[in-house]
Amino acid sequence: MAFSITTPIYYVNSDPHLGHAYTTVAADVLARHRRRCGEEVFFLTGTDEHGGNVARAAEAAGMPPKEFCDMVSARFRALASAMESSHDFFIRTTDPEHERRVQDFVQLLKDKGELYEGTYGGLYCSSCEVFYDESELIQPGNYCRLHPNRQAEWVEERNWFFPLKTWAPKLLELYDANPEFVRPRARYNEARSLIAGGLEDVSFSRATVTWGVPLPWEPEQTIYVWVDALLNYRTALEYGLGRDVTATFWPTSLHVMAKDILRLHGIVWPAMLMAAGYDPPQGLYVHGYFTSGGQKMSKTLGNVIDPFEVIDLLGADALRFYLLREVQWGQDGDVTWEGLHRRYEGELANDLGNLVSRTTAMIGRYRDGVVPEGTNQLEPVHEQVADRLAAVDLTGALEEIWTLVRAANRFVEERQPWALAKSDDPAAAGQLDETLYTLADTVRVLGVLLHPYIPQAAATILESVGDPGAVSWDRAAHGGLAAGTATTQPAPIFPRVATDG
Ligand code: MSP
């Protein structure tokens, strides 16, 4: 089985923030899960570097656009690696291998008669790089919904157009044949009703934007930045690994993104592909938007959470865990430093960290650090976790895992191993063995289950119960820990930190 998954490629006109981290972590969890199930995975992320916005940002920074892109793209790449993202390729739309293929693609559409020349007049938000209908803007004044300080401006130019309208019947067929084409369901309905409500053709070139890929047959025009950007999902497979892996990984299994770019991914992208004769993606998952303290994160409000700062203070695992635990997957949610510290202390340090350290400490103290004979007494959750992950329910899967963490902690309190160790009752030694086996095996299972979410801690956990590297899914069932395995007590996995943040 092969599984290909993508994040949006992020604009380099500003620094990476927590919202970008969110999508990357989510896609990474799914990529890691599929790999541990033995599937062949291609996980793609990267940066979107052309267009007027980026050119303006470069100008404001007093830098040539490419140099500016190199700088900001490197920050996104640094964030991905600081977050322990396991992407297979980090694409940049300024890669010459990408640019060349974008040109080939639009040439192919033109040769197939899928592009026509026309004049376009419309209200254009230069921050979104998107033309809007009046009804989509805030009135009076044509203010952009996504950039409320910016008025969309009337722009008229001669462009090359893609006849999106004519693809509506095929798009509806695609949606009707696959009710899970877009998840969650509300987003599917949203996209489908946009199609059913009537589509406008899309201008595929820009006469006014110079920072972009030139149209092959009319190099004074550049290819619309969204066409260039969407094509990354295809071109990356052709050159990213140094060989063409489209035969294995096309069509893309899952595109993950936030709701702001659903129309482009759910409508324009599949239509473009069908027009070129390529298979459309298998599915999209659309997650929600973050706010902080109930308000949109913004520099002026001072509520921006810098993902690098979180990682420096609490580690990548804490960031990953928090994002997928705090915000109900698929919905909007609020993220704050207080919330982050609360989850870190309460769930990572206390619930999980203490469970691991007291389990290994007790085995050290009562059984010389060797796992005794026994059977795991707790209810397994791995099947529920697998179901949730198959349904792309990332918060749900984590909650299932946490029921096991909590059950294990309750089990310690109920069994009171320290009392069993002191007891003169002849049955106590056997009960203590059973208790310690259950805890050690559960800690091991948690290491396996948590691997996609908190890979560093999971590795430490597995090592502490003598099962290092054993993250594959066939190790997720209870009872896999062999009696006689040597355990060690790790240094605190989630050490206390000063909370003045
Ligand atoms: N460059 C385009 C995407 C092209 S994909 C072919 C773009 N870039 S972006 O930098 O604006 O990134 C948008 C994506 O970043 C969102 O779809 C989402 O995945 C993520 N997020 C950015 N801000 C976010 C929040 N505040 N909350 C959640 N996710 C956010 O659009």
Side-chain angles (χ1 to χ4, degrees):
M1 282 266 278
F3 180 74
S4 45
I5 182 164
T6 70
T7 72
I9 47 172
Y10 305 113
Y11 283 133
V12 292
N13 55 343
S14 59
D15 266 347
H17 59 67
L18 213 60
H20 306 122
Y22 186 46
T23 316
T24 304
V25 168
D28 187 54
V29 168
L30 292 165
R32 284 176 184 270
H33 173 61
R34 296 300 187 117
R35 280 193 206 102
R36 75 178 167 180
C37 291
E39 291 179 40
E40 211 181 334
V41 171
F42 186 84
F43 168 26
L44 177 66
T45 188
T47 45
D48 186 356
E49 307 186 11
H50 291 126
N53 260 334
V54 173
R56 275 188 297 277
E59 206 179 303
M63 292 171 79
K66 179 58 168 55
E67 239 172 72
F68 177 77
C69 289
D70 290 347
M71 176 184 81
V72 185
S73 178
R75 298 268 299 161
F76 276 93
R77 195 191 289 262
L79 176 62
S81 79
M83 284 184 320
E84 297 283 313
S85 163
S86 67
H87 53 274
D88 297 286
F89 184 51
F90 187 100
I91 194 171
R92 301 183 54 187
T93 54
T94 51
D95 289 345
E97 298 92 330
H98 169 77
E99 293 180 340
R100 186 156 44 79
R101 289 177 171 83
V102 169
Q103 289 187 316
D104 292 347
F105 183 90
V106 291
Q107 185 71 56
L108 173 70
L109 285 189
K110 178 156 181 285
D111 295 347
K112 285 181 164 256
E114 286 291 346
L115 296 179
Y116 68 90
E117 252 185 309
T119 308
Y120 189 79
L123 290 162
Y124 189 71
C125 170
S126 52
S127 290
C128 296
E129 313 256 15
V130 166
F131 282 102
Y132 286 110
D133 192 70
E134 246 173 61
S135 65
E136 296 173 295
L137 298 163
I138 303 171
Q139 303 299 349
N142 294 326
Y143 287 94
C144 175
R145 285 187 197 275
L146 302 177
H147 305 94
N149 301 323
R150 190 173 281 276
Q151 280 179 291
E153 285 166 34
W154 185 260
V155 172
E156 209 166 283
E157 57 182 50
R158 189 185 56 79
N159 291 149
W160 287 84
F161 282 77
F162 174 67
L164 184 62
K165 241 186 263 161
T166 62
W167 288 93
K170 281 260 179 265
L171 285 167
L172 289 174
E173 244 173 63
L174 174 68
Y175 274 72
D176 292 343
N178 182 1
E180 299 211 316
F181 181 62
V182 177
R183 282 179 286 182
R185 189 67 191 180
R187 300 289 166 206
Y188 171 97
N189 293 337
E190 182 183 330
R192 196 187 178 288
S193 56
L194 282 174
I195 303 165
L199 298 170
E200 294 296 320
D201 290 351
V202 188
S203 115
F204 257 37
S205 69
R206 288 288 179 280
T208 44
V209 175
T210 51
W211 178 238
V213 182
L215 264 192
W217 61 92
E218 194 181 328
E220 312 74 58
Q221 299 229 1
T222 56
I223 295 166
Y224 178 38
V225 62
W226 267 102
V227 173
D228 167 4
L230 287 164
L231 282 169
N232 92 87
Y233 301 135
R234 170 89 195 175
T235 64
L237 293 174
E238 292 177 1
Y239 75 90
L241 300 184
R243 59 184 196 282
D244 188 331
V245 294
T246 43
T248 310
F249 293 111
W250 190 267
T252 301
S253 313
L254 190 68
H255 293 303
V256 185
M257 78 212 67
K259 56 190 182 175
D260 53 338
I261 52 181
L262 168 59
R263 189 180 65 90
L264 287 141
H265 283 78
I267 301 174
V268 178
W269 176 229
M272 268 166 74
L273 289 170
M274 291 190 286
Y278 295 141
D279 287 335
Q282 286 171 345
L284 273 54
Y285 192 94
V286 183
H287 65 67
Y289 243 52
F290 284 164
T291 51
S292 189
Q295 288 177 295
K296 193 181 169 204
M297 266 189 216
S298 88
K299 283 203 180 115
T300 28
L301 291 172
N303 62 352
V304 173
I305 298 179
D306 176 0
F308 289 105
E309 209 182 308
V310 177
I311 294 168
D312 284 349
L313 187 67
L314 301 175
D317 284 342
L319 175 69
R320 297 168 64 100
F321 177 80
Y322 177 66
L323 295 179
L324 293 176
R325 183 94 174 119
E326 183 80 357
V327 180
Q328 183 61 41
W329 179 240
Q331 290 166 28
D332 290 349
D334 206 52
V335 293
T336 58
W337 271 106
E338 297 80 74
L340 183 54
H341 282 299
R342 187 168 23 81
R343 295 256 183 214
Y344 181 86
E345 291 289 322
E347 297 188 321
L348 291 177
N350 287 343
D351 293 355
L352 180 63
N354 282 349
L355 175 66
V356 175
S357 80
R358 53 185 183 167
T359 296
T360 50
M362 288 189 293
I363 293 177
R365 197 172 315 136
Y366 306 135
R367 292 293 180 263
D368 293 325
V370 176
V371 176
E373 295 277 349
T375 39
N376 192 328
Q377 301 295 305
L378 296 172
E379 283 293 319
V381 297
H382 63 287
E383 280 169 11
Q384 291 91 313
V385 171
D387 290 346
R388 296 294 184 118
L389 288 174
V392 199
D393 178 2
L394 300 185
T395 341
L398 192 48
E399 177 53 29
E400 293 289 352
I401 300 172
W402 229 253
T403 58
L404 183 59
V405 173
R406 287 189 295 250
N409 281 315
R410 273 199 311 276
F411 185 74
V412 178
E413 299 309 321
E414 283 160 20
R415 291 290 180 110
Q416 309 238 341
W418 46 90
L420 291 172
K422 276 193 238 142
S423 168
D424 298 330
D425 184 341
Q431 285 167 2
L432 182 57
D433 281 351
E434 189 87 90
T435 304
L436 295 177
Y437 180 85
T438 297
L439 291 172
D441 187 53
T442 300
V443 164
R444 180 195 64 77
V445 167
L446 288 170
V448 179
L449 296 180
L450 285 166
H451 158 75
Y453 290 91
I454 48 173
Q456 290 170 330
T460 310
I461 289 171
L462 287 168
E463 215 176 285
S464 77
V465 290
D467 215 9
V471 296
S472 71
W473 189 251
D474 54 19
R475 302 284 299 149
H478 282 196
L481 190 60
T485 304
T487 64
T488 44
Q489 193 175 4
I493 306 175
F494 297 102
R496 308 267 171 218
V497 289
T499 59
D500 54 359

